[in-house]
Amino acid sequence: MSPSAISELLDVPGSSTTQRNEESGAKVVEISSSSPSHIRAWLKHNHPKHLSALDKFEIQLRLGKLTTSSTAFTRSTDSALSADPNSSLKGDIFGSGRNRRYVTFRTVELLRTIVGETRWNTGGQLMMLLRGLGKELHGAGGMREPVIGNVVCRIMCCVREEVHSCATASASTLA
């Protein structure tokens, strides 16, 4: 399958569309932009519980509760290693792997919750949701937590591969 065919599958119109849900009659606002403010507004309108989970995660990031410098484990390790003159390990290196795994786990858990329970119709809408969430989380974590951007990029890569494999499978069944 050509890259242009894949991009067609991922394309979403640039304007926001509002439709009526046939079952409940409620307005359904679709994702039209990957800007963090638009994603927040979309979550507020369609999934307020997920918006509160995103806010809690961002507050923890901004307050430094998920970073390596804020955990008691790292502080105790720093003091223990600095007291030992024979230690060749540095405290920030020793504790950062464990804390980065924790931030990775929490980021994947948040994204899995939001993506798994939200409604999107195309791969393009899912990509815009992920891109907007990635921008939002990167803005909260900044340069302190590069693992957040890496996680979002890897998930987006998996989505692209899945769209490509579905498009290839549907093209092979038509041929």
Side-chain angles (χ1 to χ4, degrees):
M1 175 151 281
S2 69
S4 62
I6 293 172
S7 66
E8 283 179 17
L9 290 172
L10 292 176
D11 277 343
V12 175
S15 62
S16 175
T17 57
T18 304
Q19 300 174 345
R20 292 259 177 210
N21 188 347
E22 293 176 7
E23 297 169 1
S24 65
K27 285 185 183 179
V28 177
V29 178
E30 292 186 10
I31 302 171
S32 65
S33 170
S34 65
S35 73
S37 60
H38 189 271
I39 296 296
R40 291 183 73 75
W42 182 79
L43 283 173
K44 182 179 180 182
H45 184 268
N46 294 319
H47 304 281
K49 288 183 181 179
H50 298 310
L51 180 62
S52 67
L54 178 65
D55 287 339
K56 287 178 188 176
F57 186 81
E58 286 182 354
I59 288 170
Q60 288 179 340
L61 268 173
R62 287 192 171 118
L63 292 177
K65 292 185 178 182
L66 299 177
T67 60
T68 57
S69 63
S70 67
T71 60
F73 175 77
T74 303
R75 285 193 297 268
S76 66
T77 307
D78 284 342
S79 62
L81 290 175
S82 63
D84 183 12
N86 298 326
S87 175
S88 62
L89 294 174
K90 301 294 181 202
D92 58 337
I93 295 171
F94 184 72
S96 66
R98 179 173 290 176
N99 293 326
R100 284 220 174 114
R101 278 180 286 220
Y102 179 67
V103 172
T104 303
F105 174 75
R106 292 284 311 271
T107 304
V108 169
E109 184 179 69
L110 175 73
L111 292 174
R112 181 177 51 204
T113 301
I114 292 175
V115 169
E117 296 177 8
T118 56
R119 296 187 134 210
W120 36 270
N121 295 326
T122 64
Q125 289 177 340
L126 178 57
M127 292 295 286
M128 278 203 284
L129 175 64
L130 287 170
R131 193 173 295 123
L133 288 171
K135 289 177 185 177
E136 181 85 16
L137 293 175
H138 182 71
M143 297 303 291
R144 293 176 296 174
E145 294 299 337
V147 71
I148 293 171
N150 292 342
V151 166
V152 174
C153 286
R154 286 176 181 251
I155 291 173
M156 289 174 67
C157 181
C158 291
V159 169
R160 282 187 206 104
E161 288 177 3
E162 187 65 25
V163 167
H164 177 65
S165 66
C166 288
T168 305
S170 66
S172 67
T173 58
L174 293 175

